[in-house]
Amino acid sequence: MRRLLFFLPFAVFGAVAGFGLWALTSGRDPNAFDSPVVGRDLPALALEPLADLPLLQTGEIGGGVQVVNVFASWCVPCVAEHPVLVSIAESGVPVHGIAYQDAPEDTLAFLDEHGNPYASVGRDAGRQVLELGLSGVPETFLVVDGAVAYHAAGPILGAPGDAFLAALDAAR
Amino acid sequence: MRAAILALLLMAAPAWAATEPDEVLADPALEARARQLGTELRCVVCAGESIESSSAGVARDLRLLVRERLVAGDTDDEALDYVVARYGEGVLLRPRFGGHTLALWLMPAGLLVLGGVGAATALRRRGRGTGRALSAEEAEEVERLR
């Protein structure tokens, strides 16, 4: 018993070091937020139309695999991820856009300049997107048969091993 | 002098709240509740700050959302639940007590008890001494030193 006690400091050190090793190597992001919307139906948002583009009706988005992307013309990472959204749309998966706190003419100019991958678009001039648990732009949602299957916060840059693209591939 | 310091402090008060004038509710009681709730909700992009003290866009949106819920008649808990349903429990700066947070809440008290038991055992053992009588040589040495 007494001798076992001498090993106690080593055991404590081992436990602390083990926790540190786990924290460093598990890939867990302590700042990441849960996204309760994942697994639920995509909520119905009252979005406003953008010029004469087809209006996104999130409440009745329909079946199959689809992508909903929240973007803004003033958002620099949105420019960076735009080509990836274009290629997703070209591969046959419908991509829909929500323009977040953006002037309509700025959004239209953005789509003119970078191309419009969106099958339908809606404008959120208010706080509708908080329903999705949005923390900023860009954010992208994978929707399978009307339910959110994956929530990517931040740009999708198409790097190998991208978690969103892997989820998209798995869904189709 | 004291009055001047107090006046300065009162004037500086808005400096640590990011709430902008156009967000403030007309009803002071509701506004006070909204500010209290704002200090309990974490800003989702700045993590270490409450939405009450953050000037990030989404923090402002969340402040407005909380006010909207309060005006709609939500209690404080209902308003918090509303945000938690959309952002997860991570938005609460004070984690809820439950099975998944048991370790978090009980660890400090547990460690205190463990340390206390350890310290008490060590102290008692030290107080007891070796419990052995002095040998003849030792007794002689004691006599000599006297």
Side-chain angles (χ1 to χ4, degrees), chain B residues 47-96:
Chain B
E49 267 183 312
S50 73
I51 59 168
E52 192 59 37
S53 57
S54 167
S55 52
V58 70
R60 177 189 155 85
D61 287 349
L62 279 169
R63 284 197 298 271
L64 290 169
L65 180 74
V66 166
R67 282 166 173 74
E68 206 174 83
R69 298 311 307 166
L70 291 182
V71 168
D74 272 15
T75 65
D76 289 359
D77 282 343
E78 282 166 351
L80 287 181
D81 283 344
Y82 189 89
V83 180
V84 168
R86 280 147 190 81
Y87 285 90
E89 262 195 59
V91 288
L92 296 177
L93 282 169
R94 191 156 26 117
R96 286 182 171 154

Side-chain angles (χ1 to χ4, degrees), chain A residues 43-124:
Chain A
L45 307 179
L47 301 171
E48 291 163 34
L50 177 68
D52 52 0
L53 295 173
L55 176 64
L56 169 60
Q57 308 272 7
T58 55
E60 38 206 85
I61 197 159
V65 176
Q66 305 187 68
V67 169
V68 174
N69 171 248
V70 187
F71 72 105
S73 69
W74 45 262
C75 142
V76 176
C78 297
V79 179
E81 77 168 357
H82 209 72
V84 178
L85 296 175
V86 171
S87 75
I88 293 174
E90 280 170 356
S91 74
V93 175
V95 179
H96 307 274
I98 299 176
Y100 174 65
Q101 298 190 348
D102 202 8
E105 58 271 22
D106 292 345
T107 315
L108 287 170
F110 177 89
L111 295 180
D112 266 348
E113 188 183 343
H114 301 288
N116 180 5
Y118 302 120
S120 68
V121 186
R123 290 199 330 112
D124 179 16

